Amino acid sequence: MSERPLMLLDSASMYFRAYFGVPESVTAPDGTPVNAVRGFTDMIARLVTEHRPARLVACLDLDWRPAFRVAALPSYKAHRVEAGRAGDEVPAGVPEEVPDTLAPQVPLIMEVLAAAGIATGGAAGCEADDVIGTLAHREAADPVLAVSGDRDLMQIVRDEPPVRLLYIGRGLNKAENLGPAEVAEKFGVPPERAGAAYAEMAMLRGDPSDGLPGVPGVGAKTAATLVGRFGSWAELLAAVGDGDTRLGPGPRSKLAAAREYLDAVEPVVRVLTDAEVEHSRDDVLPTAFADPARLEELAQRWGLQSSVGRLRTALESAAR
């Protein structure tokens, strides 16, 4: 197995952070904001320089609120729809609640990726998490490094074949490189099945930002303790009704009261490992297949010369 990773980028997670991390005063010559484009391009250049991936895929949200998750749990991200994007036409790859000055930048980001020869990957009716989960699950030739600010992707980490998460929830400068040992230590879940156990802890704890109510009265520490007593989600659920003493009367009563939620939540939280992912091109580190003339045209038109230059240098260096 190669030491150089297959790098999987959670594109929306990254360009949202770029948008809020780079001032809107960063504009094209015509005054159009390009802060997200500039920041996103610089992030990729830095990641490629520091991690020298063998292959690189920018993964897309083709559906930010998939129907199968809403069918299982109608509250899933429902509050975000109510916030004002219900019924809006949103370009492919753009999630909900996109600021007015970010939405027009996303197609330009896609153009830069295409001209640079960086593959994009998406799956109809699925989130980027599902694309990343599927590509990570399939990979056997190279270690995998996923890059995201979404905690849900902590569930994909594994030792063999290696899958790690570069968690950028606090920004790239404070990125955390997480594998099973780190996730286990950080959240108190069993190291031998840290990824799956993290997902189970999240189901119990809930996540208001995604409309997951969790089990009332069960916080992160209690959730991790309960998950650690069982070998699987199915085993934990079975214990709710069969008097298993590992659960205890207090937690059992709380879980029993939330049984309808617990029976529904698993497909909402677990990322897919069998999504029908389609690539824009072979997921090989680019340069040879880039369109340098188009890339230069985009750089000149939108004032991206420095960022595009850094990206080109990073890709060419990693390809050697």
Side-chain angles (χ1 to χ4, degrees), residues 34-253:
V34 291
N35 53 324
V37 186
R38 178 87 64 88
F40 182 71
T41 305
D42 284 342
M43 290 173 79
I44 296 177
R46 178 174 168 182
L47 288 164
V48 170
T49 299
E50 293 180 355
H51 298 280
R52 292 182 57 80
R55 291 172 291 146
L56 178 64
V57 182
C59 302
L60 308 178
D61 278 320
L62 296 189
D63 191 336
W64 67 273
R65 190 173 180 248
F68 73 91
R69 291 195 166 103
V70 176
L73 194 70
S75 66
Y76 182 61
K77 296 184 179 179
H79 60 296
R80 302 189 193 182
V81 176
E82 294 163 3
R85 292 217 63 94
D88 287 1
E89 288 294 326
V90 183
V94 181
E96 79 294 357
E97 300 179 305
V98 180
D100 290 342
T101 52
L102 170 57
Q105 296 187 57
V106 177
L108 177 55
I109 287 171
M110 297 301 120
E111 286 193 70
V112 170
L113 291 172
I118 296 173
T120 57
C126 294
E127 300 176 65
D129 286 6
D130 301 309
V131 177
I132 292 171
T134 296
L135 296 180
H137 179 74
R138 290 178 185 171
E139 185 59 31
D142 296 314
V144 173
L145 181 64
V147 182
S148 178
D150 188 341
R151 292 182 300 175
D152 288 342
L153 281 169
M154 292 182 188
Q155 67 184 274
I156 72 170
V157 299
R158 70 184 184 212
D159 281 326
E160 293 298 335
V163 176
R164 299 186 68 86
L165 173 67
L166 191 68
Y167 178 65
I168 58 169
R170 297 190 298 156
L172 200 51
N173 287 333
K174 296 181 179 179
E176 300 174 77
N177 195 321
L178 304 174
E182 291 80 10
V183 170
E185 181 178 359
K186 190 178 184 69
F187 296 100
V189 295
E192 65 275 9
R193 60 183 206 95
Y198 176 83
E200 293 160 17
M201 183 198 76
M203 294 179 214
L204 294 175
R205 177 197 64 202
D207 185 348
S209 69
D210 279 343
L212 302 179
V215 177
V218 174
K221 289 185 177 180
T222 300
T225 298
L226 293 175
V227 166
R229 294 175 182 171
F230 299 92
S232 69
W233 182 247
E235 187 180 332
L236 189 154
L237 289 187
V240 176
D242 67 9
D244 192 316
T245 57
R246 289 176 293 173
L247 199 52
R252 178 179 292 105
S253 65

